[in-house]
Amino acid sequence: MRPARCSSPRAIRLAEWLYEDGIGEQRVIQIENGRIVAARIERHDSLRPGTVIEAQLVTRIVANTRGIVKFAGGGEALLSRLPKGLNEGASLMVEVTRSAIDEKSRFKLPVVKAAPDKAPREPPTLLEQIDQPVTRCNAHDDDHFEAHGWSELLEEARTGDVAFAGGALQISLTPAMTLIDVDGDLPPAALALASATAVAQAIQRLDLQGNIGIDFPTLEAKADRQVAAEAFDAAMSGPFERTAINGFGFMQILTRRTRQSIPEMLQYRPVLAEALALLRRAERDRGTGPMTLVAFPTVLAQIAAQPTWTAVLQRRTGRAVSLRADAQLAIGGGYVEATA
């Protein structure tokens, strides 16, 4: 599908999905009634689900039912199910089913499965995965992502704090699951009902996946629990499974896990997140002369380690780019210094 361009307010009103081909990452958002209802970020350094690639088995693990494979170009993955008779050192074709997952204290390898009948291939791009009309937004256009609440979405992802009418959600990342705690001043039944819709909306807006636990207010009446659960179902899109809300107010949701959520991206790799955010601001800077990216040293080191990023920035803006570290800045305090 050929994407349109973000060129006018009329185009924005007619478009449902907006797309940015950023430096170091791609971004899409879905707009409904002027606000972001769904978002995806795909970083360029990730091994994407759907990739088919040749690998070599290097280790058999978990009672010989799983293994570790490595790729010729570097990197490893967890082979979810070992084919019978496959010995260490043997080569095989594999397909990526889940990208790598960063966690607070560890790194989860990508997950692959054997794909003996498939040829090497790249998966569809993020833009190609959207099966509806998509409007492509360029840096020299008005910032349509920002106009629809992009910074607010990223702040929700960084902090885990999501406000809604009558209360607030606190989203916490754990190795076992993503936990969402509901708080507010409404009576328990009313709070559960209002928060059920807010929870479903937050799951889609922040691209939460996998095992998700919701701690609603304690509801003694089964009818109240059922009403809240039905409100969640009505607001949730895409395939999922869930338990009933138990007497303590807890409900568990399970969705397919193929990639990191936006909170995981921002909270587990904050330096990378700030580096990419600074590049996005630099690409949209309206100056005409040479520019200097000024940021906390670790943020600048992240950018300096990827020279193609600044090369792309120079090509897209037609301006010379330099870097200057400032240890007095906060990690998110980077800015663009322009001569004109």
Side-chain angles (χ1 to χ4, degrees):
M1 181 176 296
R2 185 181 180 88
R5 288 183 59 250
C6 274
S7 58
S8 69
R10 177 174 174 77
I12 292 301
R13 286 195 296 271
L14 295 177
E16 185 175 14
W17 286 91
L18 309 182
Y19 167 82
E20 288 184 352
D21 183 15
I23 299 174
E25 66 181 17
Q26 297 173 321
R27 302 171 284 267
V28 292
I29 55 175
Q30 186 181 27
I31 305 301
E32 188 175 291
N33 297 322
R35 63 188 296 270
I36 299 173
V37 296
R40 285 272 308 277
I41 296 175
E42 191 171 86
R43 289 175 173 167
H44 295 171
D45 63 350
S46 61
L47 193 61
R48 294 178 289 144
T51 300
V52 178
I53 187 172
E54 186 174 13
Q56 181 184 44
L57 179 65
V58 293
T59 307
R60 300 173 70 96
I61 58 174
V62 192
N64 290 330
T65 61
R66 295 184 181 186
I68 300 295
V69 298
K70 69 177 181 180
F71 307 109
E76 296 182 336
L78 175 67
L79 180 60
S80 60
R81 186 176 300 173
L82 278 173
K84 291 183 179 180
L86 187 69
N87 297 317
E88 291 182 359
S91 296
L92 73 162
M93 297 300 296
V94 298
E95 181 175 359
V96 179
T97 58
R98 194 209 69 199
S99 58
I101 303 293
D102 287 300
E103 292 185 346
K104 188 173 183 180
S105 58
R106 63 175 176 169
F107 173 79
K108 287 186 177 180
L109 293 172
V111 177
V112 300
K113 65 179 181 180
D117 300 325
K118 294 184 178 181
R121 73 177 184 207
E122 289 291 325
T125 65
L126 184 55
L127 180 60
E128 293 167 343
Q129 293 171 38
I130 308 301
D131 59 359
Q132 299 179 39
V134 182
T135 297
R136 185 166 186 148
C137 300
N138 296 309
H140 56 264
D141 297 323
D142 292 338
D143 193 343
H144 300 296
F145 270 53
E146 192 62 36
H148 290 89
W150 182 245
S151 288
E152 290 80 0
L153 181 146
L154 296 183
E155 185 64 15
E156 289 180 344
R158 288 190 190 95
T159 64
D161 297 326
V162 178
F164 65 92
L169 309 177
Q170 175 59 53
I171 301 173
S172 302
L173 305 176
T174 79
M177 66 173 64
T178 299
L179 294 173
I180 303 179
D181 181 63
V182 175
D183 193 19
D185 297 326
L186 297 174
L191 180 59
L193 180 59
S195 64
T197 299
V199 166
Q201 292 172 343
I203 289 173
Q204 295 163 93
R205 190 168 61 252
L206 298 174
D207 198 22
L208 305 182
Q209 295 186 33
N211 200 1
I212 304 169
I214 317 299
D215 188 16
F216 290 108
T218 300
L219 299 173
E220 296 183 2
K222 185 176 180 180
D224 290 338
R225 300 197 297 268
Q226 183 63 29
V227 167
E230 290 174 354
F232 174 84
D233 292 346
M236 187 72 174
S237 67
F240 69 95
E241 297 179 9
R242 67 162 177 83
T243 65
I245 301 175
N246 66 24
F248 298 100
F250 191 79
M251 183 173 78
Q252 189 171 353
I253 304 159
L254 186 62
T255 70
R256 189 182 177 203
R257 174 78 144 151
T258 62
R259 56 187 179 270
Q260 293 193 102
S261 67
I262 298 177
E264 286 171 328
M265 288 183 174
L266 270 62
Q267 293 183 33
Y268 291 146
R269 299 186 71 182
V271 172
L272 175 58
E274 294 301 339
L276 295 173
L278 178 57
L279 289 168
R280 185 180 186 277
R281 292 194 296 274
E283 193 177 1
R284 285 158 178 76
D285 186 80
R286 297 307 191 202
T288 57
M291 72 169 74
T292 301
L293 307 187
V294 186
F296 190 74
T298 55
V299 175
L300 262 294
Q302 184 82 61
I303 296 175
Q306 298 287 340
T308 56
W309 289 352
T310 51
V312 172
L313 179 60
Q314 289 184 158
R315 184 177 72 250
R316 291 185 178 183
T317 63
R319 301 164 63 185
V321 177
S322 59
L323 309 177
R324 189 176 80 243
D326 185 347
Q328 301 302 312
L329 292 175
I331 189 173
Y335 61 93
V336 179
E337 188 176 83
T339 59

